[in-house]
């Protein structure tokens, strides 16, 4: 199964990226994920379920330790990428 994660960390700082945001982005860019897109207000990444879930756990742990007071995330199953989807039996 493939998943897409979208996340943001807070508090925001418009002048420079806070440490917790840098750590969160480093986690996803260093993980074995596909289609990583980082931006100032939101980040997304896709990959196999085990890699995405592992990255999410590390992202939560490390960004909170780096000072995040809130982490918002959404995880979605990528339609059409589910193993066995559309296969006749």
């Amino acid at each position: 199964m493939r998943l897409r994660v979208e996340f943001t960390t807070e508090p925001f700082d418009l002048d420079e990226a806070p440490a917790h945001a840098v750590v969160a982005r480093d986690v996803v860019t260093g993980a074995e994920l596909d289609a990583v897109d980082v931006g100032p207000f939101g980040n997304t990444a896709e990959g196999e379920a085990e890699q995405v879930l592992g990255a999410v756990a590390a992202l939560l742990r490390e960004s909170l330790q780096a000072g995040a007071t809130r982490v918002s995330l959404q995880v979605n199953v990528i339609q059409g990428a589910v193993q066995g989807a559309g296969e006749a039996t």
Side-chain angles (χ1 to χ4, degrees):
M1 171 181 353
R2 290 186 56 80
L3 301 175
R4 176 181 297 119
V5 61
E6 302 174 39
F7 69 92
T8 58
T9 61
E10 296 179 37
F12 295 114
D13 183 340
L14 297 178
D15 294 326
E16 65 181 73
H20 58 80
V22 173
V23 166
R25 292 176 191 155
D26 287 347
V27 168
V28 295
T29 57
E32 294 181 22
L33 301 175
D34 307 324
V36 175
D37 182 27
V38 295
F41 298 108
N43 309 282
T44 61
E46 297 178 8
E48 294 301 315
E50 287 302 313
Q51 284 74 29
V52 170
L53 296 174
V56 166
L59 154 68
L60 290 170
R61 181 176 45 255
E62 294 181 29
S63 61
L64 292 169
Q65 288 175 348
T69 57
R70 178 179 179 159
V71 179
S72 301
L73 64 89
Q74 179 173 318
V75 178
N76 294 303
V77 173
I78 299 174
Q79 295 299 320
V82 178
Q83 284 184 337
E87 293 179 6
T89 55

